[in-house]
């Protein structure tokens, strides 16, 4: 297996390649393995699934950890030679970084991969790089970058679901003229700008941008010029202070009728419904292009399941992976999480997602652009700053400069 140490050696992560694992065997013959999750949102779902797994496998005990700032915690643990047995992590640059370092088990020969939609395997492969043909994680749950809308308000305003950018702007104008808040922004928290950024860039910027950028053949200044313009255009349809409300408060206000549209991921929907179970919601892909047929749904690997290469209990860890891949279990996960499955035949049937179901059925999907940005770029903070200052040229040049700094460390 190739091990690429650039960018990892300085952090000491490569020392984790020689560890013996953090799991243990009890005196009663029961083996304990750890499941590390980067999402606090799925904590209750995992607890329920672990109970089921332990009933089926009484000789294996699973301990769940889902700390805040999970990626930072995981990297710190790697430095301390403390790698979890099983990891449930996002399909982003950190996954690619750790996979290249040899931290993860290679699933290339696993039958589990036969169940996975090819597009999601390709996304994980791109994160690792074309020079390595290993498959170091099982795409499990996927997400969607959507426009969530209040069905009642859309019907009252006689708005047809927009298929193009101009139609979307016209819908926002209609909402504004009726005295409604067109878009519910929650930009007090920097990360909430990213669903908007990704929703536009996913169809507007070439998927080859990260590779070309690393080769010095592309820049944010050129490739993201229209993306920046469109983001600024959308700001005009928010609150007087788009940065005065955060994610949780924004979910609550949208649930209770403030806003016609909300550009967020499917992950926000359970929180919105928790605040108001009676609100009627729909979703559609952000139509960032004026060519309707080019407006694919931005989707990515929200949860990849993987196993430590050097765990002392690989058989038990892989048994847990196989359990998670069972159709009934995979269906239970996406139903509880309002998510989508990377597995063929495991379908999200909630009518809220009727407007994007066709994208999954026809594989009209494109990846999250920021999943391919280098770890450490802190794009969300730079983009939030851009939206506050509205200085497009400076912001895009800063993104270029910071990207170059990160990859040249």
């Amino acid at each position: 297996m190739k091990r690429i140490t650039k960018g990892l050696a300085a952090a000491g992560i490569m020392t984790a390649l020689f560890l013996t694992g953090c799991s243990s065997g009890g005196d009663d013959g029961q083996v304990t393995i750890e499941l590390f999750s980067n999402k606090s949102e799925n904590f209750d779902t995992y607890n329920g699934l672990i109970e089921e797994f332990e009933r089926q496998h009484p000789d294996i005990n699973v301990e769940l950890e889902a700390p805040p700032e999970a990626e930072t915690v995981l990297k710190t643990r790697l430095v301390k030679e403390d790698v979890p047995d099983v990891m449930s992590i996002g399909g982003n640059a950190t996954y690619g970084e750790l996979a290249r370092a040899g931290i993860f088990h290679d699933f290339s020969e696993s039958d589990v991969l036969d169940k996975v939609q090819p597009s999601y395997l390709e996304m994980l492969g791109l994160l690792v790089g074309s020079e390595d043909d290993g498959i170091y994680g099982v795409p499990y749950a996927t997400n969607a970058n959507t426009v969530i809308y209040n069905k009642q308000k859309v019907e009252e305003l006689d708005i047809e679901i927009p298929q193009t950018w101009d139609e979307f702007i016209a819908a926002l104008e209609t909402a504004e003229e009726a005295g409604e808040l067109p878009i519910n922004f929650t930009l007090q928290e920097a990360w909430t700008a990213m669903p908007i950024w990704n929703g536009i860039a996913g169809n507007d910027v070439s998927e080859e941008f990260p590779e070309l950028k690393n080769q010095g053949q592309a820049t944010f200044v050129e490739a993201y010029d229209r993306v920046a313009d469109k983001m600024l255009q959308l700001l005009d349809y928010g609150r007087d202070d788009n940065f005065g409300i955060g994610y949780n408060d924004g979910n609550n206000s949208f649930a209770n009728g403030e806003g016609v549209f909300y550009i967020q991921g499917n992950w926000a929907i359970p929180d919105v419904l928790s605040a108001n179970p009676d609100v009627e919601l729909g979703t559609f892909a952000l139509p960032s292009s004026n060519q309707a047929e080019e407006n694919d749904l931005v989707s990515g690997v929200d949860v990849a399941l993987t196993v430590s290469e050097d765990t002392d209990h690989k058989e038990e860890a892989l048994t847990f992976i196989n359990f998670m891949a069972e159709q009934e279990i995979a269906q239970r996960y996406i139903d509880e999480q309002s998510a989508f499955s990377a597995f063929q035949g495991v379908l999200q049937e909630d009518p809220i997602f009727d407007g994007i179901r066709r994208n999954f059925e026809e594989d009209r999907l494109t990846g999250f652009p920021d999943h391919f940005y280098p770890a450490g770029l802190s794009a969300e903070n730079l983009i939030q700053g851009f939206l506050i200052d509205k200085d497009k040229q400076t912001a895009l040049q800063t993104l270029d400069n910071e990207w170059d700094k990160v990859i040249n460390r």
Side-chain angles (χ1 to χ4, degrees), residues 188-202:
Q188 187 179 84
E189 295 174 52
W191 73 267
T192 67
M194 298 312 295
I196 312 165
W197 180 267
N198 286 321
I200 299 171

Side-chain angles (χ1 to χ4, degrees), residues 138-177:
V138 178
Y140 190 70
T142 69
N143 50 25
N145 201 103
T146 70
V147 181
I148 307 169
Y149 66 95
N150 184 309
K151 280 189 174 182
Q152 181 179 351
K153 289 182 180 292
V154 164
E155 290 173 3
E156 289 175 352
L157 296 171
D158 197 26
I159 293 174
E160 293 189 10
I161 301 304
Q163 303 297 312
T164 67
W165 178 258
D166 286 347
E167 290 177 1
F168 185 46
I169 297 300
L172 299 177
E173 289 283 349
T174 298
E176 187 172 61
E177 290 168 1

